[in-house]
Protein backbone atom coordinates (compact mmCIF):
# COMPACT_ATOMS: atom_id res chain seq x y z
CA UNK A 1 0.00 0.00 0.00
CA UNK A 2 1.48 3.38 -0.95
CA UNK A 3 1.96 5.95 1.75
CA UNK A 4 0.43 9.29 0.77
CA UNK A 5 1.70 12.45 2.41
CA UNK A 6 0.86 16.10 2.12
CA UNK A 7 -1.53 18.14 0.07
CA UNK A 8 -1.67 18.86 -3.63
CA UNK A 9 1.74 20.28 -4.56
CA UNK A 10 0.29 22.36 -7.36
CA UNK A 11 -1.60 24.45 -4.78
CA UNK A 12 1.62 26.15 -3.64
CA UNK A 13 2.23 27.65 -7.08
CA UNK A 14 -1.09 29.49 -7.47
CA UNK A 15 -2.77 32.41 -5.72
CA UNK A 16 -6.02 32.05 -3.78
CA UNK A 17 -7.84 33.93 -6.55
CA UNK A 18 -6.47 31.54 -9.16
CA UNK A 19 -7.40 28.55 -7.06
CA UNK A 20 -10.94 29.84 -6.63
CA UNK A 21 -11.29 30.30 -10.39
CA UNK A 22 -9.80 26.84 -11.00
CA UNK A 23 -12.37 25.27 -8.66
CA UNK A 24 -15.16 27.16 -10.42
CA UNK A 25 -14.03 25.78 -13.76
CA UNK A 26 -13.42 22.23 -12.51
CA UNK A 27 -16.96 21.09 -13.13
CA UNK A 28 -18.49 20.68 -16.54
CA UNK A 29 -21.86 22.51 -16.43
CA UNK A 30 -23.46 19.42 -17.95
CA UNK A 31 -22.77 17.60 -14.67
CA UNK A 32 -25.43 19.72 -12.96
CA UNK A 33 -28.43 17.60 -12.13
CA UNK A 34 -31.37 18.76 -14.30
CA UNK A 35 -30.20 22.40 -14.35
CA UNK A 36 -26.68 23.12 -15.73
CA UNK A 37 -26.43 26.42 -13.84
CA UNK A 38 -27.79 25.30 -10.49
CA UNK A 39 -25.37 24.82 -7.59
CA UNK A 40 -22.34 24.06 -9.74
CA UNK A 41 -20.11 27.02 -8.91
CA UNK A 42 -17.34 25.16 -7.10
CA UNK A 43 -15.75 21.75 -7.33
CA UNK A 44 -15.71 19.69 -4.13
CA UNK A 45 -12.51 19.85 -2.05
CA UNK A 46 -9.90 17.16 -2.70
CA UNK A 47 -8.10 17.03 0.63
CA UNK A 48 -10.94 17.21 3.15
CA UNK A 49 -14.44 15.86 3.25
CA UNK A 50 -16.88 18.16 1.44
CA UNK A 51 -19.45 19.95 3.55
CA UNK A 52 -22.39 18.29 1.85
CA UNK A 53 -23.32 15.64 -0.70
CA UNK A 54 -23.35 15.92 -4.47
CA UNK A 55 -25.50 13.94 -6.93
CA UNK A 56 -24.24 10.40 -7.60
CA UNK A 57 -23.88 11.02 -11.33
CA UNK A 58 -21.64 14.01 -10.61
CA UNK A 59 -19.50 12.07 -8.14
CA UNK A 60 -19.14 9.24 -10.63
CA UNK A 61 -18.17 11.53 -13.48
CA UNK A 62 -15.56 13.37 -11.41
CA UNK A 63 -13.85 10.14 -10.40
CA UNK A 64 -14.23 8.61 -13.85
CA UNK A 65 -12.66 11.61 -15.58
CA UNK A 66 -9.62 11.63 -13.31
CA UNK A 67 -9.05 7.91 -13.81
CA UNK A 68 -8.82 8.46 -17.58
CA UNK A 69 -5.23 9.55 -16.90
CA UNK A 70 -4.29 6.04 -15.75
CA UNK A 71 -2.58 3.76 -18.24
CA UNK A 72 -4.58 1.20 -20.20
CA UNK A 73 -4.32 -2.01 -18.18
CA UNK A 74 -4.58 -4.21 -21.28
CA UNK A 75 -1.43 -2.54 -22.66
CA UNK A 76 0.41 -2.90 -19.35
CA UNK A 77 3.08 -5.47 -20.17
CA UNK A 78 4.68 -4.90 -16.76
CA UNK A 79 2.00 -6.56 -14.67
CA UNK A 80 1.32 -10.26 -14.18
CA UNK A 81 -2.15 -9.44 -12.85
CA UNK A 82 -5.22 -10.47 -14.86
CA UNK A 83 -6.66 -7.59 -16.88
CA UNK A 84 -9.51 -9.35 -18.71
CA UNK A 85 -12.33 -11.67 -17.68
CA UNK A 86 -15.54 -12.75 -19.33
CA UNK A 87 -18.71 -10.69 -18.78
CA UNK A 88 -20.29 -13.57 -16.86
CA UNK A 89 -17.41 -13.50 -14.37
CA UNK A 90 -17.91 -9.76 -13.93
CA UNK A 91 -21.58 -10.38 -13.15
CA UNK A 92 -20.65 -12.93 -10.47
CA UNK A 93 -18.10 -10.53 -9.01
CA UNK A 94 -20.75 -7.81 -8.78
CA UNK A 95 -23.24 -10.19 -7.19
CA UNK A 96 -20.79 -11.26 -4.48
CA UNK A 97 -18.88 -8.06 -3.72
CA UNK A 98 -20.96 -7.48 -0.57
CA UNK A 99 -20.17 -10.90 0.93
CA UNK A 100 -17.56 -10.93 3.67
CA UNK A 101 -15.23 -13.90 3.22
CA UNK A 102 -14.76 -14.27 6.98
CA UNK A 103 -18.50 -14.74 7.62
CA UNK A 104 -18.43 -18.43 6.79
CA UNK A 105 -21.48 -19.17 8.90
CA UNK A 106 -23.46 -16.42 7.15
CA UNK A 107 -22.22 -17.30 3.66
CA UNK A 108 -21.75 -21.07 3.80
CA UNK A 109 -21.82 -21.59 0.04
CA UNK A 110 -19.03 -19.08 -0.50
CA UNK A 111 -17.03 -20.93 2.17
CA UNK A 112 -17.76 -24.20 0.39
CA UNK A 113 -16.48 -22.80 -2.91
CA UNK A 114 -13.26 -21.80 -1.15
CA UNK A 115 -12.90 -25.35 0.22
CA UNK A 116 -13.45 -26.80 -3.27
CA UNK A 117 -10.80 -24.52 -4.76
CA UNK A 118 -8.29 -25.68 -2.14
CA UNK A 119 -9.11 -29.31 -2.91
CA UNK A 120 -8.75 -28.72 -6.65
CA UNK A 121 -5.37 -27.05 -6.19
CA UNK A 122 -4.18 -29.84 -3.87
CA UNK A 123 -5.06 -32.36 -6.59
CA UNK A 124 -3.50 -30.20 -9.31
CA UNK A 125 -0.25 -29.95 -7.32
CA UNK A 126 -0.15 -33.68 -6.55
CA UNK A 127 -0.59 -33.56 -2.78
CA UNK A 128 -0.12 -37.08 -1.31
CA UNK A 129 -3.72 -37.01 -0.11
CA UNK A 130 -5.67 -34.05 -1.55
CA UNK A 131 -8.45 -34.74 0.94
CA UNK A 132 -6.16 -33.97 3.90
CA UNK A 133 -4.05 -31.18 2.40
CA UNK A 134 -4.79 -27.89 4.10
CA UNK A 135 -4.97 -24.47 2.55
CA UNK A 136 -6.76 -21.15 2.39
CA UNK A 137 -7.51 -18.24 0.13
CA UNK A 138 -5.66 -14.97 0.64
CA UNK A 139 -5.67 -11.50 -0.86
CA UNK A 140 -2.78 -12.51 -3.12
CA UNK A 141 0.56 -14.27 -3.18
CA UNK A 142 2.16 -11.73 -0.87
CA UNK A 143 -0.14 -12.68 2.00
CA UNK A 144 0.18 -16.35 1.07
CA UNK A 145 3.98 -16.10 1.27
CA UNK A 146 3.73 -14.43 4.68
CA UNK A 147 1.58 -17.31 5.93
CA UNK A 148 3.96 -19.92 4.51
CA UNK A 149 6.93 -18.15 6.08
CA UNK A 150 5.15 -17.98 9.45
CA UNK A 151 4.52 -21.72 9.31
CA UNK A 152 8.17 -22.41 8.46
CA UNK A 153 9.38 -20.23 11.34
CA UNK A 154 7.01 -21.77 13.89
CA UNK A 155 7.94 -25.31 12.85
CA UNK A 156 11.63 -24.41 13.22
CA UNK A 157 11.01 -22.88 16.64
CA UNK A 158 9.10 -25.97 17.80
CA UNK A 159 11.81 -28.34 16.58
CA UNK A 160 14.53 -26.33 18.31
CA UNK A 161 12.70 -25.28 21.47
CA UNK A 162 15.05 -27.28 23.71
CA UNK A 163 18.22 -25.90 22.13
CA UNK A 164 17.53 -22.24 21.46
CA UNK A 165 16.04 -19.37 23.44
CA UNK A 166 12.98 -17.59 22.08
CA UNK A 167 15.25 -14.74 21.00
CA UNK A 168 17.29 -16.90 18.62
CA UNK A 169 17.20 -15.47 15.11
CA UNK A 170 16.43 -17.92 12.32
CA UNK A 171 17.26 -17.45 8.64
CA UNK A 172 15.53 -18.06 5.32
CA UNK A 173 17.51 -18.96 2.18
CA UNK A 174 16.35 -17.75 -1.24
CA UNK A 175 17.56 -16.28 -4.50
CA UNK A 176 18.06 -12.54 -4.73
CA UNK A 177 15.41 -12.54 -7.46
CA UNK A 178 12.53 -13.30 -5.06
CA UNK A 179 9.46 -11.09 -4.98
CA UNK A 180 9.69 -8.18 -2.54
CA UNK A 181 7.12 -9.79 -0.22
CA UNK A 182 9.85 -12.15 1.01
CA UNK A 183 11.98 -9.18 2.05
CA UNK A 184 8.92 -7.90 3.90
CA UNK A 185 8.43 -11.24 5.61
CA UNK A 186 12.02 -11.35 6.84
CA UNK A 187 11.79 -7.74 8.04
CA UNK A 188 8.43 -8.02 9.76
CA UNK A 189 9.01 -11.43 11.37
CA UNK A 190 12.68 -10.85 12.27
CA UNK A 191 14.21 -13.52 10.07
CA UNK A 192 17.64 -13.18 8.49
CA UNK A 193 17.40 -13.19 4.68
CA UNK A 194 20.23 -15.22 3.14
CA UNK A 195 20.28 -14.39 -0.54
CA UNK A 196 21.93 -16.31 -3.36
CA UNK A 197 23.20 -13.67 -5.84
CA UNK A 198 22.97 -13.87 -9.60
CA UNK A 199 26.10 -14.94 -11.47
CA UNK A 200 26.86 -14.70 -15.18
CA UNK A 201 23.92 -15.98 -17.19
CA UNK A 202 22.22 -17.50 -14.13
CA UNK A 203 19.50 -15.10 -13.09
CA UNK A 204 17.93 -17.12 -10.26
CA UNK A 205 18.78 -19.41 -7.36
CA UNK A 206 21.60 -21.96 -7.67
CA UNK A 207 20.67 -25.19 -5.79
CA UNK A 208 24.10 -25.95 -4.37
CA UNK A 209 24.74 -22.33 -3.39
CA UNK A 210 21.42 -22.36 -1.54
CA UNK A 211 22.27 -25.57 0.28
CA UNK A 212 25.66 -24.14 1.28
CA UNK A 213 23.92 -21.20 3.01
CA UNK A 214 21.80 -23.48 5.19
CA UNK A 215 22.58 -24.24 8.83
CA UNK A 216 20.77 -25.31 11.99
CA UNK A 217 18.97 -21.94 12.10
CA UNK A 218 17.51 -22.21 8.57
CA UNK A 219 13.72 -22.38 8.62
CA UNK A 220 13.47 -23.23 4.93
CA UNK A 221 14.49 -22.48 1.37
CA UNK A 222 12.23 -20.60 -1.06
CA UNK A 223 12.18 -21.73 -4.68
CA UNK A 224 10.46 -19.52 -7.23
CA UNK A 225 8.58 -21.22 -10.02
CA UNK A 226 8.70 -18.33 -12.44
CA UNK A 227 11.06 -15.47 -11.61
CA UNK A 228 9.62 -12.01 -12.15
CA UNK A 229 12.97 -10.83 -13.50
CA UNK A 230 13.06 -13.01 -16.60
CA UNK A 231 10.23 -15.57 -16.45
CA UNK A 232 12.50 -18.56 -15.78
CA UNK A 233 11.70 -21.48 -13.50
CA UNK A 234 14.02 -22.21 -10.61
CA UNK A 235 15.16 -25.87 -10.51
CA UNK A 236 13.03 -27.10 -7.60
CA UNK A 237 13.94 -30.74 -8.11
CA UNK A 238 17.67 -30.01 -8.11
CA UNK A 239 17.26 -27.86 -5.00
CA UNK A 240 15.49 -30.69 -3.16
CA UNK A 241 18.25 -33.10 -4.23
CA UNK A 242 20.92 -30.73 -2.88
CA UNK A 243 19.04 -30.47 0.41
CA UNK A 244 18.65 -34.27 0.53
CA UNK A 245 22.42 -34.57 0.22
CA UNK A 246 22.84 -31.93 2.93
CA UNK A 247 20.63 -33.95 5.27
CA UNK A 248 22.65 -37.10 4.59
CA UNK A 249 25.87 -35.26 5.51
CA UNK A 250 24.68 -33.17 8.45
CA UNK A 251 21.28 -34.37 9.59
CA UNK A 252 19.72 -30.99 8.80
CA UNK A 253 16.19 -31.42 7.44
CA UNK A 254 15.37 -28.20 5.58
CA UNK A 255 11.88 -27.82 4.07
CA UNK A 256 11.20 -26.09 0.77
CA UNK A 257 8.45 -23.60 0.00
CA UNK A 258 7.62 -23.12 -3.68
CA UNK A 259 6.58 -19.58 -4.54
CA UNK A 260 4.47 -20.44 -7.55
CA UNK A 261 2.81 -17.03 -7.81
CA UNK A 262 2.72 -17.46 -11.59
CA UNK A 263 4.30 -20.79 -12.49
CA UNK A 264 2.06 -22.93 -10.28
CA UNK A 265 -0.79 -22.12 -12.69
CA UNK A 266 1.37 -22.67 -15.79
CA UNK A 267 3.51 -25.76 -15.17
CA UNK A 268 0.66 -28.18 -14.27
CA UNK A 269 -0.87 -27.61 -17.71
CA UNK A 270 2.12 -27.01 -20.00
CA UNK A 271 5.01 -28.78 -18.24
CA UNK A 272 3.38 -31.90 -16.85
CA UNK A 273 6.65 -33.86 -16.75
CA UNK A 274 8.38 -31.20 -14.65
CA UNK A 275 8.51 -32.38 -11.02
CA UNK A 276 8.35 -29.30 -8.82
CA UNK A 277 5.33 -29.75 -6.53
CA UNK A 278 4.19 -32.03 -3.69
CA UNK A 279 5.59 -35.02 -5.57
CA UNK A 280 8.86 -33.90 -4.00
CA UNK A 281 8.67 -34.92 -0.32
CA UNK A 282 10.77 -31.93 0.73
CA UNK A 283 8.19 -29.44 -0.65
CA UNK A 284 6.09 -28.54 2.38
CA UNK A 285 4.01 -25.66 0.99
CA UNK A 286 3.10 -23.89 -2.24
CA UNK A 287 1.45 -20.56 -3.00
CA UNK A 288 -0.01 -19.07 -6.15
CA UNK A 289 -1.82 -15.95 -7.27
CA UNK A 290 -5.31 -16.62 -8.47
CA UNK A 291 -5.22 -13.12 -9.91
CA UNK A 292 -2.21 -13.85 -12.12
CA UNK A 293 -2.22 -16.95 -14.29
CA UNK A 294 -5.14 -18.22 -12.23
CA UNK A 295 -7.00 -15.82 -14.54
CA UNK A 296 -9.04 -13.90 -11.93
CA UNK A 297 -9.18 -10.15 -11.36
CA UNK A 298 -7.20 -8.98 -8.29
CA UNK A 299 -7.02 -9.86 -5.49
CA UNK A 300 -7.00 -13.52 -4.62
CA UNK A 301 -4.17 -15.87 -3.76
CA UNK A 302 -3.83 -19.38 -2.39
CA UNK A 303 -1.56 -21.05 0.16
CA UNK A 304 -1.47 -24.85 0.54
CA UNK A 305 0.44 -27.24 2.80
CA UNK A 306 1.04 -30.86 1.86
CA UNK A 307 -0.59 -32.11 5.11
CA UNK A 308 -1.79 -30.75 8.47
CA UNK A 309 1.65 -31.56 9.93
CA UNK A 310 3.21 -28.73 7.92
CA UNK A 311 0.86 -26.09 9.34
CA UNK A 312 1.26 -25.78 13.13
CA UNK A 313 -2.13 -25.99 14.79
CA UNK A 314 -1.34 -23.09 17.14
CA UNK A 315 -1.26 -20.73 14.15
CA UNK A 316 -4.85 -21.53 13.25
CA UNK A 317 -7.38 -19.41 15.13
CA UNK A 318 -10.81 -20.78 15.83
CA UNK A 319 -13.19 -17.87 15.91
CA UNK A 320 -16.73 -17.86 17.23
CA UNK A 321 -18.11 -15.23 14.89
CA UNK A 322 -21.74 -14.59 14.01
CA UNK A 323 -22.81 -17.89 15.51
CA UNK A 324 -20.23 -20.18 13.90
CA UNK A 325 -16.96 -21.76 15.04
CA UNK A 326 -14.53 -21.21 12.19
CA UNK A 327 -10.84 -22.00 11.78
CA UNK A 328 -8.99 -19.11 10.16
CA UNK A 329 -5.38 -18.62 9.17
CA UNK A 330 -4.89 -15.26 7.52
CA UNK A 331 -3.36 -11.84 8.07
CA UNK A 332 -6.63 -10.21 7.04
CA UNK A 333 -10.04 -10.68 8.60
CA UNK A 334 -12.83 -9.03 6.62
CA UNK A 335 -12.40 -9.16 2.85
CA UNK A 336 -14.71 -9.71 -0.11
CA UNK A 337 -15.62 -13.22 -1.16
CA UNK A 338 -16.17 -12.20 -4.78
CA UNK A 339 -12.71 -13.16 -6.02
CA UNK A 340 -12.95 -16.62 -4.47
CA UNK A 341 -16.25 -17.11 -6.27
CA UNK A 342 -14.63 -15.90 -9.50
CA UNK A 343 -11.78 -18.38 -9.02
CA UNK A 344 -14.22 -21.26 -8.67
CA UNK A 345 -16.12 -20.00 -11.73
CA UNK A 346 -12.89 -20.01 -13.74
CA UNK A 347 -11.96 -23.51 -12.58
CA UNK A 348 -15.40 -24.74 -13.67
CA UNK A 349 -15.39 -22.71 -16.88
CA UNK A 350 -12.03 -23.90 -18.18
CA UNK A 351 -11.12 -27.20 -16.58
CA UNK A 352 -7.70 -28.66 -17.29
CA UNK A 353 -8.08 -28.58 -21.06
CA UNK A 354 -9.28 -24.98 -21.05
CA UNK A 355 -6.43 -23.80 -18.83
CA UNK A 356 -3.99 -25.68 -21.04
CA UNK A 357 -5.34 -23.93 -24.15
CA UNK A 358 -5.27 -20.46 -22.57
CA UNK A 359 -1.77 -20.83 -21.12
CA UNK A 360 -0.38 -22.41 -24.29
CA UNK A 361 -1.72 -19.50 -26.33
CA UNK A 362 -0.01 -17.04 -24.00
CA UNK A 363 3.26 -18.99 -24.22
CA UNK A 364 3.05 -19.22 -28.02
CA UNK A 365 2.48 -15.47 -28.31
CA UNK A 366 5.39 -14.82 -25.94
CA UNK A 367 7.68 -17.12 -27.92
CA UNK A 368 6.76 -15.60 -31.27
CA UNK A 369 7.12 -12.06 -29.94
CA UNK A 370 10.48 -12.87 -28.38
CA UNK A 371 11.69 -14.35 -31.67
CA UNK A 372 10.70 -11.21 -33.61
CA UNK A 373 12.37 -8.87 -31.11
CA UNK A 374 15.44 -11.10 -30.90
CA UNK A 375 15.81 -10.87 -34.68
CA UNK A 376 16.28 -7.10 -34.43
CA UNK A 377 19.97 -6.17 -34.54
CA UNK A 378 19.58 -3.73 -31.65
CA UNK A 379 18.40 -6.30 -29.09
CA UNK A 380 19.57 -9.45 -27.35
CA UNK A 381 17.27 -11.94 -25.64
CA UNK A 382 17.88 -13.22 -22.12
CA UNK A 383 14.87 -15.56 -22.09
CA UNK A 384 12.38 -16.65 -24.75
CA UNK A 385 9.06 -17.05 -22.94
CA UNK A 386 9.26 -20.85 -23.00
CA UNK A 387 8.63 -21.26 -19.25
CA UNK A 388 6.44 -18.45 -17.98
CA UNK A 389 4.92 -16.59 -20.96
CA UNK A 390 7.40 -13.86 -20.06
CA UNK A 391 10.70 -12.84 -21.58
CA UNK A 392 13.43 -10.32 -20.95
CA UNK A 393 15.75 -8.64 -23.43
CA UNK A 394 18.44 -5.99 -23.43
CA UNK A 395 20.27 -3.88 -25.98
CA UNK A 396 22.90 -5.59 -28.12
CA UNK A 397 26.56 -5.16 -27.10
CA UNK A 398 27.31 -2.66 -29.88
CA UNK A 399 24.43 -0.29 -29.08
CA UNK A 400 25.78 2.90 -27.45
CA UNK A 401 23.39 5.70 -28.38
CA UNK A 402 20.31 4.46 -26.46
CA UNK A 403 19.48 2.06 -23.65
CA UNK A 404 16.52 0.05 -22.38
CA UNK A 405 15.20 3.04 -20.42
CA UNK A 406 14.99 5.07 -23.63
CA UNK A 407 13.10 2.23 -25.31
CA UNK A 408 10.65 1.98 -22.40
CA UNK A 409 10.04 5.73 -22.45
CA UNK A 410 9.41 5.84 -26.20
CA UNK A 411 7.03 2.85 -26.11
CA UNK A 412 5.06 4.60 -23.36
CA UNK A 413 4.35 7.39 -25.85
CA UNK A 414 2.47 4.77 -27.89
CA UNK A 415 0.51 3.57 -24.85
CA UNK A 416 2.68 0.52 -24.02
CA UNK A 417 3.89 0.03 -20.45
CA UNK A 418 7.06 -2.04 -20.79
CA UNK A 419 9.25 -1.98 -17.66
CA UNK A 420 12.98 -1.32 -17.81
CA UNK A 421 15.04 -2.15 -14.75
CA UNK A 422 18.48 -3.11 -13.48
CA UNK A 423 19.24 -6.59 -12.13
CA UNK A 424 20.46 -7.08 -8.53
CA UNK A 425 23.78 -8.43 -7.22
CA UNK A 426 25.94 -9.64 -8.82
CA UNK A 427 24.53 -8.42 -12.15
CA UNK A 428 23.91 -4.74 -11.44
CA UNK A 429 25.61 -4.10 -14.79
CA UNK A 430 22.64 -5.59 -16.66
CA UNK A 431 19.56 -3.52 -17.51
CA UNK A 432 16.67 -5.15 -19.32
CA UNK A 433 13.14 -4.78 -20.66
CA UNK A 434 10.54 -7.38 -19.70
CA UNK A 435 7.33 -8.36 -21.48
CA UNK A 436 4.55 -10.28 -19.70
CA UNK A 437 2.08 -12.00 -22.02
CA UNK A 438 -1.28 -12.63 -20.36
CA UNK A 439 -4.64 -13.88 -21.49
CA UNK A 440 -6.13 -11.03 -23.51
CA UNK A 441 -2.79 -9.99 -25.00
CA UNK A 442 -3.49 -11.29 -28.49
CA UNK A 443 -1.23 -11.96 -31.47
CA UNK A 444 -2.70 -8.82 -33.06
CA UNK A 445 -1.62 -6.70 -30.09
CA UNK A 446 1.81 -8.35 -30.18
CA UNK A 447 2.13 -7.38 -33.85
CA UNK A 448 1.20 -3.78 -32.97
CA UNK A 449 3.87 -3.74 -30.27
CA UNK A 450 6.50 -4.90 -32.79
CA UNK A 451 5.35 -2.25 -35.27
CA UNK A 452 5.59 0.49 -32.64
CA UNK A 453 9.01 -0.74 -31.57
CA UNK A 454 10.21 -0.62 -35.17
CA UNK A 455 8.77 2.88 -35.49
CA UNK A 456 10.72 4.30 -32.52
CA UNK A 457 14.05 2.67 -33.43
CA UNK A 458 15.14 5.16 -36.14
CA UNK A 459 14.93 8.09 -33.71
CA UNK A 460 16.66 6.08 -30.98
CA UNK A 461 19.48 5.27 -33.38
CA UNK A 462 19.83 8.97 -34.07
CA UNK A 463 20.52 9.87 -30.44
CA UNK A 464 24.07 10.78 -29.47
CA UNK A 465 23.83 8.93 -26.16
CA UNK A 466 21.23 7.53 -23.74
CA UNK A 467 19.07 10.35 -22.42
CA UNK A 468 19.00 9.35 -18.76
CA UNK A 469 22.36 8.62 -17.20
CA UNK A 470 20.89 8.29 -13.68
CA UNK A 471 20.11 4.56 -13.38
CA UNK A 472 19.34 4.95 -9.68
CA UNK A 473 15.92 6.22 -10.79
CA UNK A 474 15.15 2.87 -12.42
CA UNK A 475 12.66 0.64 -10.68
CA UNK A 476 12.18 -3.10 -10.94
CA UNK A 477 8.75 -4.63 -11.41
CA UNK A 478 8.38 -7.46 -8.87
CA UNK A 479 4.63 -7.98 -9.13
Amino acid sequence: MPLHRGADRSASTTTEEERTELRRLSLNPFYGEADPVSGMTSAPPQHRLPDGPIPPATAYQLVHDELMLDGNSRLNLATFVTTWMEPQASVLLAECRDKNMIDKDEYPRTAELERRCVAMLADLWNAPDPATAVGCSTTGSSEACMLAGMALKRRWATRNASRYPATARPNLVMGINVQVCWDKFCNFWEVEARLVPMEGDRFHLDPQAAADLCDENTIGVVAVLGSTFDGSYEPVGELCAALDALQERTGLDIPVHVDGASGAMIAPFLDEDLVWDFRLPRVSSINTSGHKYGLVYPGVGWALWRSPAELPEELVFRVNYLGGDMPTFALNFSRPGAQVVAQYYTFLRLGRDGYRAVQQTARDIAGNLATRIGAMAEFQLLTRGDELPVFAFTTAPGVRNFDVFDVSRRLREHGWLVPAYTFPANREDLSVLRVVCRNGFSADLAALLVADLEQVLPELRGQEHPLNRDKSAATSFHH
Side-chain angles (χ1 to χ4, degrees):
M1 177 184 295
L3 300 178
H4 300 289
R5 294 192 179 95
D8 187 355
R9 286 173 292 180
S10 64
S12 62
T13 63
T14 58
T15 67
E16 180 58 35
E17 182 180 352
E18 290 171 330
R19 288 195 293 272
T20 300
E21 181 65 3
L22 181 62
R23 287 194 296 269
R24 187 184 71 81
L25 297 175
S26 292
L27 285 181
N28 185 330
F30 271 101
Y31 295 174
E33 186 123 315
D35 183 354
V37 297
S38 172
M40 303 294 291
T41 58
S42 179
Q46 296 178 346
H47 302 289
R48 66 177 182 85
L49 282 174
D51 295 329
I54 59 176
T58 303
Y60 165 80
Q61 198 66 50
L62 285 170
V63 178
H64 172 83
D65 287 357
E66 187 163 347
L67 290 175
M68 289 193 300
L69 296 175
D70 273 348
N72 185 327
S73 63
R74 293 283 296 280
L75 300 182
N76 182 2
L77 303 184
T79 185
F80 286 79
V81 172
T82 296
T83 56
W84 183 88
M85 290 189 76
E86 293 173 307
Q88 292 85 349
S90 296
V91 171
L92 272 176
L93 283 162
E95 290 174 348
C96 298
R97 60 192 169 197
D98 60 340
K99 295 183 179 182
N100 190 349
M101 194 66 232
I102 198 62
D103 297 351
K104 291 179 169 53
D105 193 59
E106 298 295 309
Y107 306 116
R109 300 322 301 169
T110 302
E112 169 62 13
L113 298 190
E114 178 187 32
R115 188 199 65 77
R116 292 179 192 175
C117 287
V118 169
M120 289 177 177
L121 289 170
D123 178 69
L124 185 67
W125 296 338
N126 297 291
D129 181 2
T132 62
V134 293
C136 61
S137 66
T138 64
T139 55
S141 269
S142 292
E143 182 188 1
C145 290
M146 300 283 176
L147 299 180
M150 289 166 58
L152 290 174
K153 184 179 180 184
R154 184 59 61 91
R155 287 176 61 202
W156 172 86
T158 301
R159 289 195 307 269
N160 294 281
S162 62
R163 293 196 298 155
Y164 293 100
T167 55
R169 191 178 191 200
N171 65 72
L172 181 66
V173 175
M174 48 197 168
I176 200 168
N177 56 299
V178 291
Q179 211 263 4
V180 70
C181 69
W182 288 107
D183 298 316
K184 288 184 178 181
F185 166 75
C186 291
N187 189 336
F188 295 169
W189 274 271
E190 298 182 334
V191 173
E192 176 194 354
R194 293 189 175 178
L195 301 175
V196 177
M198 295 179 177
E199 295 289 349
D201 292 333
R202 176 181 57 76
F203 304 123
H204 55 226
L205 175 143
D206 172 75
Q208 190 56 53
D212 292 342
L213 288 176
C214 294
D215 59 24
E216 66 275 9
N217 291 331
T218 301
I219 65 175
V221 180
V222 175
V224 180
L225 197 70
S227 173
T228 58
F229 278 89
D230 63 353
S232 62
Y233 292 162
E234 291 191 332
V236 184
E238 293 178 29
L239 172 63
C240 289
L243 294 174
D244 289 342
L246 177 68
Q247 184 175 8
E248 290 178 8
R249 295 194 311 271
T250 66
L252 295 174
D253 185 8
I254 309 295
V256 170
H257 172 78
V258 177
D259 183 350
S262 294
M265 294 305 295
I266 295 289
F269 307 110
L270 303 187
D271 307 294
E272 295 180 73
D273 295 332
L274 179 67
V275 179
W276 62 273
D277 52 18
F278 289 128
R279 286 171 288 182
L280 297 167
R282 197 165 290 279
V283 173
S284 65
S285 51
I286 301 172
N287 71 274
T288 197
S289 291
H291 60 224
K292 292 181 181 174
Y293 288 101
L295 307 180
V296 175
Y297 284 140
V300 61
W302 300 93
L304 270 71
W305 290 263
R306 69 183 300 118
S307 73
E310 276 73 29
L311 179 59
E313 176 64 25
E314 63 267 25
L315 292 179
V316 180
F317 285 80
R318 300 193 176 276
V319 183
N320 187 334
Y321 187 65
L322 295 180
D325 179 56
M326 302 164 300
T328 176
F329 181 42
L331 299 180
N332 291 287
F333 199 66
S334 293
R335 59 185 174 88
Q339 275 73 13
V340 169
V341 172
Q343 183 73 85
Y344 184 66
Y345 164 84
T346 307
F347 284 169
L348 287 186
R349 171 74 175 89
L350 293 178
R352 288 179 181 252
D353 289 344
Y355 263 99
R356 186 175 297 110
V358 171
Q359 313 300 38
Q360 187 64 60
T361 298
R363 182 181 280 182
D364 289 345
I365 290 172
N368 292 335
L369 183 57
T371 298
R372 295 187 66 179
I373 292 176
M376 299 179 185
E378 289 82 3
F379 300 116
Q380 176 178 306
L381 292 175
L382 274 68
T383 49
R384 296 180 172 275
D386 52 356
E387 291 180 324
L388 290 189
V390 175
F391 65 94
F393 61 102
T394 188
T395 50
V399 174
R400 296 285 183 269
N401 44 346
F402 67 91
D403 59 17
V404 294
F405 304 97
D406 292 327
V407 177
S408 178
R409 182 169 51 251
R410 292 306 308 274
L411 286 176
R412 184 178 287 266
E413 295 173 4
H414 290 261
W416 300 103
L417 305 178
V418 181
Y421 52 94
T422 302
F423 273 25
N426 292 330
R427 288 307 313 268
E428 296 98 327
D429 60 302
L430 180 60
S431 298
V432 306
L433 294 146
R434 189 196 67 203
V435 174
V436 177
C437 296
R438 306 177 306 279
N439 182 43
F441 180 69
S442 64
D444 288 344
L445 287 174
L448 290 173
L449 174 63
V450 170
D452 287 338
L453 184 56
E454 291 173 337
Q455 184 176 340
V456 303
L457 278 175
E459 292 186 21
L460 291 172
R461 296 187 195 108
Q463 293 181 181
E464 294 184 3
H465 55 71
L467 296 184
N468 184 11
R469 302 294 183 90
D470 181 15
K471 299 303 181 289
S472 64
T475 57
S476 180
F477 287 77
H478 288 243
H479 52 287

